[in-house]
Amino acid sequence: QVQLVESGGGLVQAGESLRLSCAASRSIAGIEVMGWYRQAPGKERELVANIGSGGNTNYANSVKGRFTISRDNAKNTVDLKMNSLKPEDTAVYYCNAFRNLVYNIWGQGTQVTVSS
């Protein structure tokens, strides 16, 4: 089973950028969907963005135009570039690997804090 490790979180000011990276323990070429989710204190975990094995992407309305997800099957990584960060983007961000009825794997999460 693939293991996922996130990195790149931190404390930034509103308007700044961060790049999160998710490193997989084995090839992600065959993984149907790779995604980034987030969970703020007191809130449910929500989808931020995902990317299919064919490169198709999907974004939450709240991040469209600001965040970009990408996957590198050769490096076994999935990145999330976050621009124009807002205080409401503050959350723990989780990497996810998903294939319907087969697996739904999570990383340990990385904290992103955006100050106003």
Side-chain angles (χ1 to χ4, degrees):
Q1 176 166 297
V2 65
Q3 294 181 329
L4 306 173
V5 178
E6 302 96 336
S7 62
L11 171 63
V12 297
Q13 293 188 339
E16 294 184 339
S17 299
L18 275 177
R19 178 185 288 273
L20 305 183
S21 186
C22 172
S25 59
R26 64 166 180 79
S27 174
I28 65 169
I31 294 180
E32 183 173 343
V33 182
M34 296 294 302
W36 284 94
Y37 288 71
R38 67 187 180 188
Q39 187 166 19
K43 295 187 177 181
E44 294 188 353
R45 192 171 298 188
E46 63 176 1
L47 173 69
V48 176
N50 59 26
I51 183 167
S53 56
N56 51 302
T57 58
N58 180 45
Y59 294 92
N61 287 334
S62 60
V63 307
K64 281 181 180 177
R66 299 189 297 123
F67 291 11
T68 302
I69 189 171
S70 60
R71 67 190 283 172
D72 188 331
N73 290 340
K75 295 182 179 179
N76 300 326
T77 58
V78 179
D79 288 356
L80 184 69
K81 182 67 190 309
M82 307 185 293
N83 296 326
S84 302
L85 282 161
K86 303 175 182 180
E88 50 263 44
D89 294 318
T90 295
V92 178
Y93 283 70
Y94 297 91
C95 183
N96 175 262
F98 175 82
R99 186 177 183 91
N100 192 32
L101 302 180
V102 179
Y103 50 76
N104 186 22
I105 301 167
W106 297 93
Q108 83 288 350
T110 186
Q111 176 71 45
V112 172
T113 303
V114 184
S115 63
S116 57

